Amino acid sequence: MDSPPKASGHQALGPRALRKPLIAVLRHPHVAALVAGSLAACGFQPLGWWPLALIGMAWLIELIDHAPRGRTAFLLGWLFGLAHFTIGDNWIATAFTYQAEMPAWLGGIAVVLLSLYLALYPALATLAAWLLVRGFGAHRPHGRAALSLALAGCWIVTEWMRGWVFTGFAWNPLGVALLGPFSGQGLALLTPWIGTYGLSGVLVLLAALIHRAVRSVLAPDRARAAWLAGLAVLPLALTLLMVLPAGYLDRQDGEIHYTLVQPDLRQETLDDPRNFEPHFIKMARLTMPKDRGERRLVLWPESGLADYLRDGYPEYFYRQMTYEADPVLARRRIGQVIGPYSLLLTGAVDLVMKNDDVLAARNSVTAIDGRGSILAGYSKAHLVPYGEYLALRWLLEPLGATRLVPGALDFWPGPGPRTSDFGVLGKAGIQICYEIVFSGQVVDRSERPDYIFNPSNDGWFGSWGPPQHLAQARLRAIEEGLPVLRSTTTGISAVIDADGIVRQFAPMHVAARLDGRIPPAHEPTLFARFGNALPLGLAVLLLVLSVVARWRRRA
């Protein structure tokens, strides 16, 4: 008989042997905060695993609940945010692969550096909530309900701050994880009354309910039966709300016909002058009217057209154009493409002139009719730092830093939301590219548009950025009660109705044309009237309730 094998001093570790050290690591608050932030980021597109967003936030509440000091609560919130933003904003690294001035590996470092700053906002929220409930001389806990209410209120305020401090970076508010599929709204149906930042507060409150239910299971108390019932019912109710189509909505078509073009112009080809004319021809073929007599709105993306469309610029700027270095002829050719009764809204670049000197550029949308005449224009107000202009140029340029968009001229911001009246083709509000992510800042309140046009070049953003961008555009539609039409270079282009439902879309990396009628706008929502005063009011209410809960606990 063969003798049994001798035991080795280097046996492979099985699952059970690995479990204890793994649990020990996860029990360390700093590691747990990083994991919780990572889980919460999985609620964003393209993953859309919203239950993990709730679990991650519930875990953060547990960590803050056990924080012995305010600085510990601040550090835990900061670590949560560091992981959360690093994963959620990973698409920024992809943008560095489409320029030659800086090494591509710098993109990963840029994501982390940005996240180091953005993580301050969750850190401020956790610190403020801890101080409100546990700080200022308090020596014992005063209830998890008070902490949860305080954290929800503080989270709303800090997300709102993130939307405007240092010009703002409002990408991926926590509440976007509660948006339903293309055919549904999910819990985002609440945004006409509380806004996107208020929806983030709702997510925190839902996570607090999960946290309380789990603690009741692990440490039974008199309310265990009720919490167990809630733990069983809440996931089922949330799942149904998040995945079911919005059959309760009345879907209507409007009167304005549109042709929306997604030409699939890859980012690596956009800035090569040899591609300017082929790109124009590709867009023109996708645009040609089926009936020369039809009246329609034609929508082209940001960055798709290389021509300077306005007169009066230095001659050398026109030499790189697609059509005989003449803006008049270029506009007439566009008029011939769209047809005599159509109107084109297209991304373009305008120049800022002083006498004969070119001072800067503007990222713009230009409206051109079938005769080649310019009817209106809009300039982007929310520019992308280090994308369209180099902040701290005096410091960073000598170090070799440059902006991601090629060219020597910085872009200057426009004045903000404006509405252009095109008669039978409606009143258009325009938000270029990532301007659409700024809740409460996308519409001219003095003249409400009939729809929002959101041209974009999402070719920079890898596979994660475009679906996140689309999700945030859907939230603007629900908040404002306005349809949003997105034309992008490479996808995802979409027609979104005033309830946030995606009526049509073109997937990524497909050349496509969408035809139809613009969905009608709703009457102004409560958010359309009062803007971010609503979520801030909700935050104040939650903070007052937190104080009341704290003092009731003391009594």
Side-chain angles (χ1 to χ4, degrees):
M1 296 177 61
D2 294 335
S3 59
K6 296 181 179 180
S8 171
H10 301 283
Q11 290 181 350
L13 294 177
R16 291 185 178 179
L18 290 172
R19 188 179 304 163
K20 288 186 177 180
L22 178 60
I23 293 175
V25 170
L26 291 178
R27 283 178 175 172
H28 192 287
H30 297 165
V31 176
L34 290 169
V35 175
S38 302
L39 290 176
C42 293
F44 299 137
Q45 296 296 325
L47 301 179
W49 298 340
W50 57 269
L52 293 186
L54 293 169
I55 292 171
M57 180 52 65
W59 200 346
L60 178 63
I61 293 172
E62 172 72 8
L63 295 172
I64 303 305
D65 185 42
H66 287 84
R69 294 176 296 276
R71 65 171 178 254
T72 304
F74 180 90
L75 179 58
L76 291 172
W78 184 82
L79 290 170
F80 175 95
L82 177 62
H84 184 70
F85 290 113
T86 299
I87 293 176
D89 296 340
N90 70 77
W91 53 267
I92 294 174
T94 307
F96 282 76
T97 65
Y98 294 114
Q99 51 78 48
E101 300 295 328
M102 295 178 288
W105 53 262
L106 193 60
I109 296 176
V111 172
V112 175
L113 290 176
L114 176 63
S115 300
L116 291 174
Y117 159 68
L118 295 176
L120 292 174
Y121 294 95
L124 289 173
T126 54
L127 172 63
W130 190 94
L131 289 175
L132 187 65
V133 177
R134 303 285 172 79
F136 304 119
H139 298 292
R140 64 183 180 88
H142 295 292
R144 296 187 180 94
L147 178 64
S148 300
L149 290 166
L151 183 59
C154 293
W155 200 279
I156 292 172
V157 173
T158 55
E159 277 203 343
W160 168 74
M161 291 173 57
R162 182 160 65 89
W164 58 266
V165 173
F166 301 127
T167 75
F169 188 81
W171 195 273
N172 273 351
L174 190 64
V176 76
L178 296 180
L179 178 66
F182 281 7
S183 59
Q185 293 178 303
L187 277 177
L189 59 83
L190 299 174
T191 53
W193 294 277
I194 61 174
T196 294
Y197 302 135
L199 188 63
S200 297
V202 169
L203 190 147
V204 175
L205 293 176
L206 289 173
L209 291 176
I210 293 173
H211 171 252
R212 181 69 180 88
V214 171
R215 286 196 64 87
S216 297
V217 173
L218 298 178
D221 55 24
R222 288 177 298 175
R224 180 181 182 184
W227 283 110
L228 284 176
L231 186 62
V233 172
L234 182 62
L236 177 61
L238 279 176
T239 300
L240 291 175
L241 190 59
M242 290 295 295
V243 304
L244 290 179
Y248 51 87
L249 298 174
D250 182 18
R251 296 183 59 177
Q252 299 179 356
D253 289 323
E255 301 298 327
I256 303 170
H257 290 264
Y258 65 81
T259 295
L260 189 152
V261 173
Q262 176 177 297
D264 191 28
L265 308 180
R266 303 301 173 94
Q267 186 61 39
E268 59 269 22
T269 70
L270 277 181
D271 299 311
D272 187 344
R274 294 172 298 181
N275 293 320
F276 290 169
E277 182 66 12
H279 285 173
F280 178 86
I281 293 172
K282 189 174 187 179
M283 289 195 297
R285 287 175 175 168
L286 289 167
T287 301
M288 297 296 291
K290 298 176 182 178
D291 177 358
R292 296 292 293 179
E294 68 178 329
R295 190 181 300 274
R296 61 183 179 144
L297 184 69
V298 179
L299 304 170
W300 285 2
E302 177 192 30
S303 303
L305 184 65
D307 294 339
Y308 290 97
L309 298 175
R310 296 185 181 272
D311 303 323
Y313 300 155
E315 184 66 27
Y316 60 86
F317 280 96
Y318 296 124
R319 290 180 191 145
Q320 61 181 308
M321 290 173 45
T322 64
Y323 197 66
E324 299 187 14
D326 188 328
V328 175
L329 295 178
R331 295 196 302 266
R332 288 177 181 172
R333 182 167 72 152
I334 290 173
Q336 293 172 354
V337 168
I338 65 175
Y341 304 107
S342 295
L343 175 73
L344 171 70
L345 297 180
T346 179
V349 174
D350 294 340
L351 301 179
V352 180
M353 303 287 298
K354 184 176 181 180
N355 298 324
D356 293 329
D357 296 326
V358 180
L359 302 182
R362 294 193 192 275
N363 188 351
S364 301
V365 165
T366 302
I368 300 177
D369 66 12
R371 297 169 298 180
S373 300
I374 294 178
L375 301 187
Y378 168 83
S379 295
K380 185 177 182 181
H382 273 292
L383 300 176
V384 181
Y386 307 103
E388 292 169 308
Y389 71 98
L390 184 62
L392 302 175
R393 179 182 288 275
W394 60 272
L395 173 65
L396 297 178
E397 197 168 52
L399 300 177
T402 183
R403 68 172 199 228
L404 294 175
V405 177
L409 293 173
D410 270 344
F411 285 84
W412 282 7
R418 294 291 185 272
T419 298
S420 297
D421 190 345
F422 298 122
V424 296
L425 292 177
K427 295 180 179 180
I430 299 171
Q431 292 289 287
I432 300 174
C433 196
Y434 108 126
E435 284 188 304
I436 200 69
V437 309
F438 289 89
S439 176
Q441 303 180 49
V442 301
V443 169
D444 182 356
R445 304 279 176 207
S446 64
E447 189 175 6
R448 179 174 167 84
D450 298 315
Y451 53 87
I452 299 173
F453 175 44
N454 176 221
S456 187
N457 172 15
D458 287 1
W460 295 91
F461 299 159
S463 59
W464 282 52
Q468 292 178 5
H469 205 172
L470 175 60
Q472 291 167 96
R474 292 179 62 200
L475 285 176
R476 297 296 83 74
I478 304 173
E479 281 180 340
E480 301 289 349
L482 292 173
V484 176
L485 297 94
R486 302 195 74 236
S487 173
T488 69
T489 49
T490 57
I492 306 169
S493 300
V495 177
I496 307 163
D497 70 18
D499 295 304
I501 306 301
V502 178
R503 297 283 190 93
Q504 289 180 288
F505 75 98
M508 293 174 60
H509 306 310
V510 172
R513 163 181 171 153
L514 304 178
D515 290 289
R517 290 185 290 172
I518 298 177
H522 291 329
E523 290 298 317
T525 63
L526 202 62
F527 186 88
R529 292 187 175 97
F530 298 103
N532 282 319
L534 294 177
L536 292 176
L538 175 61
V540 170
L541 175 62
L542 291 170
L543 294 175
V544 169
L545 292 175
S546 173
V547 172
V548 171
R550 174 185 174 182
W551 286 105
R552 287 188 63 184
R553 181 80 176 183
R554 274 186 165 185

